[in-house]
Amino acid sequence: MSRSTPFDTLLVANRGEIACRVMRTARAMGLRTVAVYSDADANARHVREADEAIRLGPAAARESYLKVEAVVEAAQRSGAGAIHPGYGFLSENGALVEALDQAGIVFVGPPASAIAAMGDKSAAKARMANAGVPLVPGYHGDDQDDGLLKAEADKIGYPVLLKASAGGGGKGMRVVESSEGFQAALDGCRRESQAAFGDQRMLIEKYLTQPRHVEVQVFCDSHGAGVYLFERDCSVQRRHQKVLEEAPAPGMSEGLRREMGEAAVRAAKEIGYVGAGTVEFLLDADGSFYFMEMNTRLQVEHPVTEMITGQDLVEWQLRVAMGEALPLAQEDLTITGHSFEARLYAEDPEQDFLPATGTLTRFAMDLEGAELDPARVRLDSGVETGDAVSMHYDPMLAKLIVHGNDRTQALATLNRALAALDVQGVVTNRAFLQRLATHPAFQACELDTRFIEKNEATLFAPKQYSTEEYAGAALVGLHQLARECESDSPWDRHDGFRLNAPHTIRIALCDPAHAQDDDDSEDVVVVEGTREREDAAWHLTIGSETLTARLDSLQGDAVAITLDGHRRRLQARRDGNVVVIVDPRGETRLFWRRIDAIDHGRQEAESTLTAPMHGTVVALLVEPGARVEKGMPLMVMEAMKMEHTMTAPADGHVASFHFQAADTVGQGDVLLDFAADE
């Protein structure tokens, strides 16, 4: 179909964050939006936000999002004049482009010939050499004999990088350190490549020991014009997957920026490119750069380019797909400030980044409480509170993008924004992202593609809690107890419990990983909190140290915690029995339990007694109907391997128990009915 054909309906052949992001621009341009979905995504956010949605098939991607014929049929059924593929799935699938051409539907992306030219890495290297784009020394030939490949590797010099010719995403890729390990690595790469791509061909490159991953955003129209929208540094990676990205790349001279940008445009024009593309380079410490590959689609990290240029790249894509000329010429494009993007994944960094699933009980960002400028912070997400995180797809939940006048300001904004991001119900890498962003080496721009590996010892060091962190978490816990007893607001009460003053409460705190340790464990810290009835301050005793502590609520989730006159502003919230305290320097998560004999007060326990924590009933100490006196033990619970005795709140009798020994109870469950004497 001619690229000059306008369209008024756009089908987004993707899901999650990128589908929502594309539809946002399409709506702003007045286009009708169509979503597609699998059975697992029937109620997903991108489906809810589209003007209409069409089912593709079962949950498995190969039976839904990867089915070319189903996507084309959905476009025809909905009357869509164009399809935007997003990234991943069918975004670099030439068969889809050809099918759309036959159906008379516009593909928002390059022609099939350009996708094919860059899809085969060996052939792409030859085309780039022809265009005068610098290449890493290596072997990209058709002869795949084992002996020849080993000889070429020996000639290049170790270490070398073995890469699947048809590969991507880190599959079929290994670093070979010596000639002795070459054959085993080759065999492994071939197995991975065959399984992932149905192709065993390999290419070999010199492995640069401390390269940076710097990529250039290019754009070409169907009238022969091409520009570059500057560069992004994507060096912070794990398993060849990007984690943090920034634009512009730190330390770039104007000369090097222009040289890389012009090389990227030559690469795009060499293959007749149209639309948005990214040319990825390895940048060596001496300023040399080498072509790595070209992604013939919109990149995950495109928002940082939008932030520094002020351009909407999806709008550019749609206008170019309609046959329009590029909105700006090269001389009209400028860089303003600095931008970072952090990818939020449902995964557990402490468990080798194992993907996580579940239901998001809370997904929010407290911009007001963190005092962040909404114009400087952008959260591109495909989920909302209440959404399920499925096992079927990539675990990325959202992208947090920030902007500052310079790198220092942008990094400070990133850390404040990460602190303001509250995700509950599913394990995420949020705290790990903050450790990366606050790492001294990252702040000092000591960047290369092995950044995480080189700094693993500090990035994954066991958390050591300070007295101030224990005190802050205890203070949040004490105010939570006050709320449960007296108020619906978590921070509004500052007058303690309604018992005769002074009153002391004991709380056990520990790392959530050690929540089952007992109170004699070195991993558990006991805090005693005492407060006079008319006094707004708590007196916290931790070991031999006593601090005067106060908590004041601010906007949103923000609180001010004052310890011995030192006031700090931070974000504080609870995730079950875990207190989460976050500031721009990092996160503290501590599991807390009340461990004293709990006196609920006569007024509140005249009819019921509730569980102060999740735990197990150990024993019932009296019979139903028994006459008891105030303070008499009624039942014993166990939590954190510590026993907690529930006592009579007043003189009276136990009408009935709601649980038996060995039963599990949740925080707030009614344990027994109690009748106080008149």
Side-chain angles (χ1 to χ4, degrees):
M1 186 176 193
S2 169
R3 288 184 176 273
S4 63
T5 303
F7 48 86
D8 60 11
T9 300
L10 178 71
L11 183 144
V12 183
N14 216 296
R15 63 177 302 279
E17 170 272 323
I18 187 58
C20 295
R21 186 267 171 276
V22 170
M23 289 191 292
R24 184 169 66 245
T25 289
R27 286 193 298 270
M29 294 177 65
L31 300 177
R32 190 167 64 94
T33 58
V34 181
V36 290
Y37 64 93
S38 71
D39 290 344
D41 281 341
N43 193 41
R45 180 177 177 181
H46 75 281
V47 175
R48 299 194 299 267
E49 292 187 354
D51 293 315
E52 60 182 275
I54 296 176
R55 177 184 179 272
L56 292 178
R62 65 180 178 277
E63 299 179 48
S64 52
Y65 295 107
L66 289 173
K67 288 187 69 174
V68 170
E69 62 275 17
V71 171
V72 175
E73 181 183 350
Q76 294 171 323
R77 181 178 170 186
S78 64
I83 283 183
H84 192 299
Y87 51 72
F89 292 136
L90 296 173
S91 62
E92 296 178 280
N93 187 297
L96 172 65
V97 183
E98 292 171 351
L100 292 177
D101 285 344
Q102 294 176 5
I105 298 171
V106 173
F107 178 71
V108 183
S113 58
I115 294 175
M118 285 301 179
D120 185 317
K121 287 184 171 54
S122 294
K125 299 280 186 180
R127 297 288 295 271
M128 294 304 99
N130 185 61
V133 179
L135 300 177
V136 177
Y139 175 76
H140 316 115
D142 294 329
D143 191 337
Q144 293 287 301
D145 176 75
D146 286 12
L148 175 68
L149 292 178
K150 184 175 182 301
E152 290 292 339
D154 292 342
K155 184 190 304 181
I156 295 167
Y158 296 92
V160 298
L161 182 65
L162 270 173
K163 296 172 67 175
S165 182
K171 297 180 178 67
M173 182 184 299
R174 297 191 187 185
V175 177
V176 186
E177 299 287 352
S178 67
S179 180
E180 291 74 19
F182 182 84
Q183 188 62 49
L186 176 63
D187 293 341
C189 283
R190 279 180 165 161
R191 287 192 298 269
E192 290 179 9
S193 181
Q194 181 64 39
F197 314 112
D199 190 326
Q200 291 191 5
R201 290 173 302 148
M202 291 286 126
L203 56 83
I204 308 171
E205 293 177 348
K206 176 67 178 175
Y207 182 68
L208 306 178
T209 56
Q210 288 187 306
R212 289 166 58 187
H213 181 136
V214 176
E215 61 189 31
V216 177
Q217 176 72 61
V218 295
F219 238 104
C220 298
D221 61 24
S222 56
H223 307 286
V227 299
Y228 61 92
L229 287 88
F230 313 112
E231 79 287 343
R232 304 181 284 256
D233 192 303
C234 308
S235 299
V236 181
Q237 305 176 6
R238 58 167 184 80
R239 298 171 187 158
H240 305 288
Q241 293 287 336
K242 302 161 190 173
V243 179
L244 283 176
E245 300 105 346
E246 60 183 297
M252 288 284 288
S253 67
E254 285 302 318
L256 181 57
R257 173 173 291 125
R258 182 172 57 255
E259 189 178 354
M260 292 182 74
E262 291 175 352
V265 172
R266 288 199 305 274
K269 289 187 173 182
E270 169 68 21
I271 60 172
Y273 201 81
V274 175
T278 299
V279 182
E280 301 191 340
F281 295 102
L282 290 175
L283 177 62
D284 212 354
D286 63 0
S288 302
F289 64 92
Y290 306 99
F291 174 83
M292 185 165 51
E293 62 183 357
M294 182 176 185
N295 292 125
T296 54
R297 54 173 167 77
L298 194 68
Q299 290 282 83
V300 177
E301 57 273 19
H302 76 274
V304 293
T305 296
E306 294 181 323
M307 284 288 205
I308 65 167
T309 61
Q311 304 301 313
D312 184 331
L313 297 190
V314 174
E315 181 178 348
W316 278 43
Q317 284 188 296
L318 296 174
R319 294 197 179 282
V320 166
M322 292 177 179
E324 296 182 17
L326 291 176
L328 296 174
Q330 189 66 58
E331 57 270 21
D332 300 321
L333 291 165
T334 58
I335 295 175
T336 301
H338 202 93
S339 180
F340 285 96
E341 175 181 285
R343 301 189 188 189
L344 182 73
Y345 285 97
E347 64 184 12
D348 188 352
E350 310 303 324
Q351 301 295 324
D352 198 26
F353 297 95
L354 186 70
T357 59
T359 299
L360 292 165
T361 56
R362 179 170 167 80
F363 185 85
M365 177 177 288
D366 183 16
L367 292 177
E368 181 185 20
E371 295 187 318
L372 287 164
D373 181 356
R376 298 277 193 174
V377 181
R378 168 176 162 184
L379 185 65
D380 285 8
S381 72
V383 295
E384 296 175 317
T385 297
D387 284 352
V389 179
S390 168
M391 59 176 281
H392 298 288
Y393 312 113
D394 185 274
M396 191 173 75
L397 301 177
K399 303 179 311 196
L400 176 60
I401 309 104
V402 301
H403 183 265
N405 293 331
D406 53 31
R407 189 177 192 268
T408 299
Q409 186 187 72
L411 192 53
T413 301
L414 175 64
N415 286 318
R416 292 185 73 87
L418 284 168
L421 187 59
D422 185 8
V423 185
Q424 299 179 24
V426 176
V427 177
T428 74
N429 67 332
R430 194 209 63 79
F432 177 71
L433 290 171
Q434 199 167 16
R435 294 201 298 273
L436 280 172
T438 56
H439 196 282
F442 184 78
Q443 293 180 329
C445 300
E446 296 172 7
L447 305 173
D448 66 61
T449 55
R450 296 177 63 245
F451 181 89
I452 292 177
E453 180 183 347
K454 288 167 58 177
N455 295 285
E456 184 175 5
T458 49
L459 288 171
F460 293 95
K463 175 71 174 177
Q464 300 294 323
Y465 300 97
S466 66
T467 299
E468 289 72 22
E469 287 173 313
Y470 282 120
L475 192 59
V476 173
L478 289 167
H479 275 71
Q480 174 65 23
L481 290 175
R483 183 195 74 168
E484 291 170 355
C485 289
E486 299 183 6
S487 169
D488 291 333
S489 170
W491 313 119
D492 288 347
R493 304 298 298 190
H494 299 291
D495 54 353
F497 296 96
R498 290 172 289 177
L499 302 175
N500 292 329
H503 187 65
T504 298
I505 297 172
R506 298 176 76 242
I507 289 180
L509 296 166
C510 70
D511 187 293
H514 303 135
Q516 298 304 313
D517 294 347
D518 58 41
D519 58 353
D520 293 326
S521 168
E522 62 181 14
D523 297 313
V524 176
V525 169
V526 175
V527 180
E528 289 190 352
T530 305
R531 181 165 63 172
E532 300 290 335
R533 187 171 60 184
E534 302 302 326
D535 187 3
W538 286 89
H539 305 285
L540 305 181
T541 301
I542 306 173
S544 61
E545 189 170 356
T546 298
L547 302 93
T548 300
R550 178 188 175 102
L551 185 148
D552 295 293
S553 64
L554 304 174
Q555 305 99 323
D557 289 334
V559 299
I561 287 180
T562 305
L563 301 174
D564 283 350
H566 182 186
R567 187 179 188 271
R568 291 174 57 214
R569 179 193 180 96
L570 40 78
Q571 307 284 117
R573 47 190 177 259
R574 280 189 58 216
D575 188 355
N577 270 45
V578 176
V579 172
V580 184
I581 296 178
V582 194
D583 68 14
R585 297 177 300 176
E587 174 185 278
T588 298
R589 298 176 66 89
L590 283 166
F591 188 87
W592 69 276
R593 295 282 195 224
R594 184 176 177 184
I595 59 172
D596 52 346
I598 300 168
D599 188 341
H600 288 256
R602 175 188 179 93
Q603 215 172 11
E604 295 168 85
E606 286 185 345
S607 59
T608 63
L609 202 65
T610 58
M613 78 292 284
H614 299 283
T616 303
V617 176
V618 175
L620 308 181
L621 303 179
V622 299
E623 294 293 329
R627 179 78 172 73
V628 298
E629 296 179 354
K630 180 180 179 180
M632 181 179 292
L634 303 180
M635 64 186 299
V636 179
M637 287 182 59
E638 181 185 64
M640 269 175 79
K641 294 186 178 178
M642 293 176 282
E643 291 192 349
H644 312 271
T645 302
M646 314 298 293
T647 61
D651 294 346
H653 68 272
V654 176
S656 63
F657 286 101
H658 289 211
F659 296 93
Q660 301 297 317
D663 285 351
T664 299
V665 299
Q667 185 175 16
D669 286 350
V670 176
L671 300 174
L672 57 88
D673 295 325
F674 184 83
D677 290 345
E678 294 292 332

